[in-house]
Amino acid sequence: MTTTVTVLTEKEVQEAIKKNYSKAETIINNEDKVEKILRKLEKKLKELPLGLSSLSYVPVMGSLIKSYIEKRYTEIPIATLAYSLVAILYVVSPIDLIPDSIGVIGYFDDAAFVAGVLPFIKKDLDDYLEWRNLNDLIVK
């Protein structure tokens, strides 16, 4: 059996970001909605198989958003927060290019989307990780 993996182009990633950016900005200002999304994310990540390395940044994105909302880490561009939330929304959405119910292959589009967003925000995520490690914050 041959498996075909769809790789998202930068244009497709940018279109998805534009489509969801205002929704992400609205959610960032609503702690209850953010917490609900983070719980969905946690549940979904528990189901993921190993080998989808770009998805390892998704919980970091969630932690960053939570730290921002709690006003513990606020020196971050709003665009980085919105891009992070757009990526999280894509991962937790039941509707995407390859349904997650297909199994391992169903997560490749999630990983591809996150990998497409990472170049825009990776430095900010790495800076946050350094800050979090220096401040000994444990994500629960």
Side-chain angles (χ1 to χ4, degrees):
M1 180 175 150
T2 304
T3 303
T4 304
V5 177
T6 303
V7 177
L8 298 174
T9 65
E10 183 176 334
K11 182 179 178 183
E12 290 169 322
V13 171
Q14 286 293 339
E15 287 173 5
I17 288 170
K18 285 178 188 175
K19 180 180 172 185
N20 291 293
Y21 192 90
S22 63
K23 182 178 180 180
E25 282 184 317
T26 301
I27 291 171
I28 286 170
N29 295 312
N30 184 321
E31 290 182 40
D32 291 335
K33 286 184 180 181
V34 170
E35 185 62 30
K36 183 177 179 182
I37 289 169
L38 291 175
R39 287 178 189 224
K40 280 185 179 180
L41 174 63
E42 182 181 343
K43 181 180 177 188
K44 187 164 185 173
L45 287 177
K46 288 180 182 176
E47 300 168 4
L48 292 179
L50 298 176
L52 301 171
S53 63
S54 65
L55 292 176
S56 67
Y57 271 94
V58 175
V60 176
M61 293 172 187
S63 177
L64 169 66
I65 293 167
K66 188 172 183 212
S67 292
Y68 176 82
I69 290 169
E70 294 170 345
K71 301 194 181 341
R72 291 185 294 150
Y73 188 82
T74 56
E75 296 298 317
I76 191 79
I78 193 73
T80 297
L81 295 168
Y83 278 40
S84 295
L85 192 51
V86 166
I88 290 169
L89 289 169
Y90 190 90
V91 170
V92 300
S93 173
I95 302 168
D96 51 19
L97 292 175
I98 306 170
D100 297 339
S101 60
I102 292 175
V104 173
I105 193 71
Y107 294 105
F108 280 106
D109 68 313
D110 295 342
F113 187 83
V114 172
V117 170
L118 276 177
F120 300 102
I121 63 174
K122 187 172 181 310
K123 179 172 181 347
D124 291 332
L125 293 175
D126 289 341
D127 290 347
Y128 169 71
L129 282 171
E130 183 178 328
W131 173 86
R132 191 177 74 184
N133 290 337
L134 287 172
N135 288 280
D136 197 31
L137 298 175
I138 299 171
V139 178
K140 296 179 181 179

